[in-house]
Amino acid sequence: MTNISTAPIALSTTVTGSGPGIVLAHGATGGVEPNFGSLIPLLAEGHTVTGSDYPADDTHLELDALADALVADAVTERFTLIGFSLGTAVAVRAAVRHPDRVAGLVLAAGLAKADNRTRLGIDVWQTFLERGDRESFARFAVHAAFSPGFTNGLAPEAVAEAVAGIAGREAGGAAAQLDLVQRVDINADLATVAVPTLVIAATGDLLVDPANHRQLAAGIPGAEYAEVESGHVIMAERPEEWHRLVLDFLQRHGL
């Protein structure tokens, strides 16, 4: 089931499966399918999964409003939020603003506030977008999204295919999402999170330094912490580990 919400921030939302609720919060320039595609069928075997894509236009994004929109589009009263990259900040803010709705958190390759390296990377991306240079945008994405070992282990044809795939994808909403990454700051929220939380760090992350992942775990009371030897896009490099960590956490906590 897919619908376009009528909230101030309009999301394109798809619902699959049945059972306890899951809500997905994707990263900047990504989407539900690129970030969670391989995980959704596994989740849907025992959960109702709400996946909402952020606006595909230049809609200005504020963290509170985006978090509220995700919660508003959730089809279950209670749910676990799974956030990736920018989606981790959205998920934490949703948990703080809607404690009656959010039952648990999974935060992967995330950040509380962009550090200097992340800001510099976003500046490069935004410059390519402003120039309409989709191929350079895609080359930088492939360069930054994966660990050196993973990228260097690909055949040249596979690298070219990855670049072409990103370059050919619509960039709608990317500029607004990258702008939001520059502005988020959930440091004050972390200590108030009061639900079971799993933080997954990508030890080879070149886009969001792993110190940011560890900061999330250190700041949230009782948070569980796991590491995956991967670049930023864990689900592409280490899909089996990604699946196992998420599904095991949900099972252990009855979520």
Side-chain angles (χ1 to χ4, degrees), residues 22-80:
I22 299 288
V23 171
L24 306 175
H26 69 74
T29 79
V32 169
E33 181 60 31
N35 288 175
F36 302 105
S38 66
L39 181 62
I40 290 173
L42 302 177
L43 292 171
E45 291 178 5
H47 296 83
T48 300
V49 184
T50 303
S52 297
D53 285 310
Y54 307 155
D57 56 25
D58 294 330
T59 299
H60 178 73
L61 299 177
E62 292 293 344
L63 190 60
D64 286 355
L66 184 54
D68 290 350
L70 280 185
V71 172
D73 271 24
V75 298
T76 55
E77 185 62 26
R78 293 274 286 174
F79 50 83
T80 297

Side-chain angles (χ1 to χ4, degrees), residues 28-29 35 84 109 125 137-148 150-151 162 166 169 202 204-208 230-237:
T29 79
N35 288 175
F84 168 69
W125 252 340
F137 176 92
R139 289 183 182 281
F140 181 75
V142 172
H143 170 77
F146 303 107
S147 65
F150 182 84
T151 303
I166 294 172
R169 200 165 65 215
D205 197 334
L206 300 176
L207 189 61
V208 178
S230 168
H232 188 67
V233 189
I234 298 171
M235 57 287 299
E237 286 198 38

Side-chain angles (χ1 to χ4, degrees), residues 4 9 15 35 47 70 100 114 132 144 200 234 239:
I4 306 296
I9 293 182
V15 180
N35 288 175
H47 296 83
L70 280 185
D100 57 323
I200 302 175
I234 298 171

